[in-house]
Amino acid sequence: GFGTYDIEAKGLGASVNENIDLLIETLSALDKDTEYILFFPPYSSLFWVYAKQNGIFEIFCDAKERIFELAQELENVTIFDFHNLELTADFENYRDISHYTKDINDYLVECFADGTGIVTVAEQLTTNKAEVSAKADLTYLKYKAHIDTYCKIE
């Protein structure tokens, strides 16, 4: 299997929001002449199955929207979203449900260089959320007989 995850939804939203506040506060205090990249990594579609089954999918999506909204005030921050990449459904690209291979990492570096995946308007996050959700649903249907082999879902 891909290992197990045990993320509890209770209290997660508040904890995530505290971390977002700290992130934005830290970025605000850093060198204004340096460009910073924030990115939402390409977790496998199995991760999103887990997130949906355990009530944390919306917490993750709300966090992305909040980060994007707050980062708009920072001129030297660029945000990339890779959650909806097609490669997230190919489990050969992963060591577990969220850690991808060096090849994927190399691809992300190329994206940072050429701008693929930059989020410029909040609507992109809404579209990406719908794509990720649909892909998670398809993954669940395809692998539901074996889903707990891949990730712990209670």
Side-chain angles (χ1 to χ4, degrees), residues 4-138:
T4 60
Y5 273 70
D6 192 15
I7 302 172
E8 188 174 320
K10 183 179 178 184
L12 182 62
S15 176
V16 167
N17 282 329
E18 288 174 18
N19 284 318
I20 291 170
D21 291 342
L22 181 60
L23 170 68
I24 298 301
E25 180 182 315
T26 301
L27 286 169
S28 297
L30 294 174
D31 182 5
K32 304 293 185 235
D33 294 327
T34 301
E35 292 294 320
Y36 298 97
I37 293 174
L38 301 180
F39 72 100
F40 304 115
Y43 296 139
S44 78
S45 58
L46 284 170
F47 176 86
W48 297 113
V49 169
Y50 174 89
K52 290 182 82 171
Q53 293 290 318
N54 286 278
I56 60 174
F57 182 78
E58 291 298 327
I59 294 170
F60 275 89
C61 294
D62 291 348
K64 286 171 56 174
E65 291 171 7
R66 186 158 184 261
I67 290 169
F68 178 76
E69 179 184 315
L70 294 173
Q72 294 309 291
E73 300 170 16
L74 306 172
E75 294 180 15
N76 58 337
V77 174
T78 303
I79 297 179
F80 289 78
D81 186 5
F82 300 118
H83 284 168
N84 65 328
L85 292 180
E86 202 52 44
L87 58 82
T88 62
D90 181 351
F91 306 137
E92 294 297 317
N93 292 320
Y94 293 87
R95 299 175 64 131
D96 60 30
I97 66 173
S98 65
H99 294 94
Y100 43 85
T101 64
K102 179 187 177 308
D103 290 342
I104 301 307
N105 195 64
D106 292 344
Y107 173 70
L108 298 182
V109 170
E110 291 174 19
C111 291
F112 297 144
D114 69 18
T116 300
I118 288 180
V119 178
T120 57
V121 294
E123 289 76 19
Q124 286 174 268
L125 295 175
T126 302
T127 300
N128 292 356
K129 174 183 175 180
E131 292 173 2
V132 169
S133 181
K135 192 181 306 176
D137 292 346
L138 288 174

